[in-house]
Amino acid sequence: MRRKTEVPTLLAISDRRLCGGASGLEHWARSLPDGAAVQLREKDLDPIVRTEIGRTLREAVSGLLIVNGSLEVAVDCRADGVHLRSDQRWAEAAPSIRARGLLLGVSTHSRRELEAAVLAGADYALFGPVFASPEKLRFGAPQGVERLKWAARGPVPILAVGGVDPSNAPDLVRAGAHGVAAIRAFAAPDTAAALARAWASATGTLPPS
């Protein structure tokens, strides 16, 4: 497993519907706070199109680039990692991802999935939805901060997802989350910057003034 310090603390998940289509993703990525990692989601697009977008984002992001669901796309666009969805076969995919030296992330929503993340050798796990989120309705009621605390006690660094915003960042830090992941909170430059400041303030990592 990789060192915890290599796992991102701010993970911006792409959604072209919120930034003017696929052509707007480059501008979106360049507007993110310095060092924020990007997960190229857009899983409904053809792999060739996702590779083209990934190559553009590779040049645009200052932090890590992680591709959702596809090792092939990740390799073709020189990404730093692959994020596997909860409906993918982690144990089968993990060896090939690790053999490439890529970061391995997974999406989890339960104790069973967190245990599977450990067995797969995941470098980090998204856990949620912690709070209510329109993107996570299909996963049921929010997990809440108490379940996040339990998840964060395990060996896999946890990134909280679902309803994350600047106001609840301190609660997530106190619960033990290594970082946060979000779509809407990173969709616009002002909200992304506010979340980055809130996280840095809550973790005591604000640069000297």
Side-chain angles (χ1 to χ4, degrees), residues 17 34 94 135:
R17 299 169 301 173
D34 288 344
E135 285 84 10

Side-chain angles (χ1 to χ4, degrees), residues 89-101:
R89 296 182 177 181
W90 303 344
E92 294 179 15
S96 296
I97 294 170
R98 287 199 297 268
R100 293 279 188 168

Side-chain angles (χ1 to χ4, degrees), residues 11-184:
L11 179 59
I13 303 173
S14 75
D15 187 337
R16 66 189 187 278
R17 299 169 301 173
L18 301 178
C19 59
S23 62
L25 288 172
E26 179 180 5
H27 176 74
W28 165 75
R30 292 188 184 279
S31 73
L32 292 170
D34 288 344
V38 167
Q39 183 196 126
L40 171 57
R41 197 165 178 261
E42 316 307 329
K43 56 189 180 182
D44 59 311
L45 294 179
D46 181 89
I48 294 176
V49 176
R50 284 219 297 162
T51 298
E52 292 174 354
I53 294 172
R55 289 172 177 167
T56 298
L57 295 182
R58 174 75 286 171
E59 302 302 319
V61 301
S62 61
L64 299 175
L65 174 62
I66 298 170
V67 171
N68 184 299
S70 173
L71 173 59
E72 291 75 17
V73 173
V75 170
D76 287 346
C77 66
R78 297 180 293 111
D80 302 293
V82 177
H83 185 87
L84 300 179
R85 302 182 299 273
S86 57
D87 60 353
Q88 292 183 287
R89 296 182 177 181
W90 303 344
E92 294 179 15
S96 296
I97 294 170
R98 287 199 297 268
R100 293 279 188 168
L102 298 178
L103 200 69
L104 170 60
V106 296
S107 289
T108 65
H109 314 90
S110 66
R111 182 187 296 264
R112 179 184 60 80
E113 289 177 347
L114 282 168
E115 292 171 348
V118 175
L119 293 175
D123 295 301
Y124 72 88
L126 267 59
F127 181 76
V130 180
F131 306 109
S133 168
E135 285 84 10
K136 297 290 184 179
L137 290 176
R138 66 187 183 280
F139 297 112
Q143 301 277 357
V145 172
E146 291 304 313
R147 287 188 181 178
L148 175 63
K149 287 180 181 178
W150 174 85
R153 295 190 191 108
V156 179
I158 297 297
L159 274 62
V161 67
V164 171
D165 63 35
S167 70
N168 55 44
D171 294 329
L172 301 176
V173 171
R174 286 190 290 269
H178 174 81
V180 291
I183 293 177
R184 292 183 182 276

